[in-house]
Amino acid sequence: MPPVAGTPLKLSAASACRVVDEVGGAVSPPWWREHLIDTFSELIPGFRRDWLIDTRDCHYLARRSTLGPLLAVLGDRVLSYAACGGSSFKFAPLIARSLAARLTGADPVPTGLEPLDRPLVRASGVHPLRPALRGVS
């Protein structure tokens, strides 16, 4: 969304995501700002450099094999959905319906989203949520 009525523009790009060993601070190196400016100058007609007033690193847990969202089923009544970036906001109603079906004992309707349709059952001693992704917003 373009900045309207004083609301800042928030940008994030998959090309700015990278794997990190641990969650750190939110300070982004300056070249990530330039990367976002270059990326969005090509995508948004009339994009102006001054729309991007700040950058910061955000951290998301990710499934090791796909670097995307993860649903872990822990026992009979515990679900852990590690979201990734804006995709979980976009699909929130679909995600909620699938999780609610699992928690109430109903068969979840296939969503087309692999993390929901094929949840990972966490094995003892294995932490499937590493590594973290760091993305610039």
Side-chain angles (χ1 to χ4, degrees), residues 95-114:
I95 293 166
R97 184 178 70 190
S98 178
L99 296 177
R102 289 181 184 283
L103 288 172
T104 60
D107 288 330
V109 176
T111 64
L113 302 171
E114 182 181 352

Side-chain angles (χ1 to χ4, degrees), residues 6-70:
T7 303
L9 173 67
K10 181 176 181 187
L11 302 172
S12 184
S15 60
C17 291
R18 65 249 188 234
V19 174
V20 297
D21 292 328
E22 62 185 41
V23 174
V27 177
S28 300
W31 65 81
W32 286 114
R33 180 185 194 302
E34 294 304 315
H35 173 77
L36 291 177
I37 289 170
D38 292 344
T39 299
F40 288 99
S41 291
E42 296 176 17
L43 298 173
I44 301 173
F47 179 84
R48 298 187 345 229
R49 295 181 65 84
D50 63 335
W51 287 2
L52 192 60
I53 58 173
D54 189 22
T55 58
R56 67 174 181 249
D57 281 356
C58 301
H59 296 85
Y60 309 96
L61 293 177
R63 187 174 196 168
R64 184 184 303 276
S65 60
T66 65
L67 298 181
L70 168 74

